[in-house]
Amino acid sequence: GREAAVLRDLRSTEVGTAARAGLAEAGIILVGERAGTSPGALSAAAQLAAETGARLAWVPRRAGERGALEAGALGALLPGGRPMTDAAARGEVAAVWEVDALPDTPARDTAGIIAAAASGDLDALVVGGVDPADLGLSDTSNALQRAFVVSLELRESAVTPFADVVLPVAAQAEKEGSYVNWEGRIRPFELALTTNHVSDHRALDMLAGELGHFLETGTKRQIHDQFEALGPWSGTRGLSASGQAEAAPVVGDGLGDHVLATWPTLLDRGRMQDGEPFLAGTARRATAHLSPGSAERLGVGDGSAVTVTGPRGSVTVPVAVVEGMVDGVVWLPTNSEGVSVRSGLGSEAGHRVSVTASGTGSDPAHLTKGGVG
């Protein structure tokens, strides 16, 4: 939870001072997924890059995230990473899309879309490849219940029970396309299996056509033609280095109040691994990692159990005492068997949680109140 503060205060330590010096020598700052969820961290990384002359690169966790940004999936972006607030960027895209003008204010983000649907401000949702548990938003179920939902799916998902219409779309082997890796390199793949499933871009094109809009995403060629017509964006990417970090959490006292650290493990309850019990059976058991000092103050040791409580629920898991951890911090896997940090606890990395000793050290991990994620 203190990523932004650490990045802004590198000169306070010998190691940090050496790191800044190294960045000034054609260095590269690599940021990952958590930089987008820790308040102020991404802005601090951009500011550090500007001050040192280093380059900034993002390594996403999911294969399609870089391509999604290039396509303009974020509400503040247009295709090619063009910021929606830039008049020249809007003009370029409007010309290719053959419209008079584009809005100059960012569209809703995911939380805004969910909130609008839950309040009735949005009548319909198109959902594709989104696991509600991964969002950790309390209004998700209400939003899916109130809105007319069109779900693009490969197989039954958590969205299926809410869907008014389910459109089966082609898996990767049933279509051709490409990924954009974290370096921006295009990695194409070819059709391997011929089926009657349509690609998701074709499904979106047909939906838009029924609503009277010409989306021009019916074929891979149409999509590529649009990107080629746009060309690369030569202006600023719009990443602000002036954002202020929110107040960083103070490390907990180790007596119950802790700061949560979390990260997805390689084998967990992820959507791409469901229905594969043999692979899932090799996953590590979910444990709560504590420093020796925190464990001593709580009166627990390796194999004992603690209950971690967030605003939405609790989870009881065995303890693993880890040398070198900071006192007052507890680590949990983000979405492992029996442990769902976002949907079960209602928490995220850097949030405060309560940790108490439990008498069920030999029991499997289980959630109470919030349900199993």
Side-chain angles (χ1 to χ4, degrees), residues 114-195:
I114 294 298
S119 65
D121 291 337
L122 285 178
D123 296 327
L125 293 173
V126 178
V127 184
V130 176
D131 186 344
D134 202 35
L135 299 179
L137 299 172
S138 59
D139 283 341
T140 303
S141 293
N142 189 29
L144 293 172
Q145 287 172 345
R146 292 198 65 173
F148 184 91
V149 175
V150 178
S151 184
L152 310 182
E153 302 195 7
L154 300 179
R155 61 191 187 279
E156 186 176 1
S157 73
V159 179
T160 309
F162 300 98
D164 297 277
V165 176
V166 174
L167 298 179
V169 293
Q172 176 178 312
E174 301 170 319
K175 60 185 177 183
E176 61 176 350
S178 59
Y179 289 102
V180 181
N181 71 7
W182 70 271
E183 295 179 299
R185 302 177 189 271
I186 297 176
R187 293 291 181 258
F189 56 88
E190 302 298 327
L191 178 73
L193 298 172
T194 301
T195 68

Side-chain angles (χ1 to χ4, degrees), residues 76-109:
L77 289 183
L78 294 167
R82 292 167 169 82
M84 182 168 281
T85 54
D86 190 293
R90 296 196 305 273
E92 289 183 5
V93 178
V96 172
W97 286 354
E98 299 179 354
V99 295
D100 294 333
L102 294 176
D104 58 1
T105 55
R108 297 181 178 96
D109 59 9

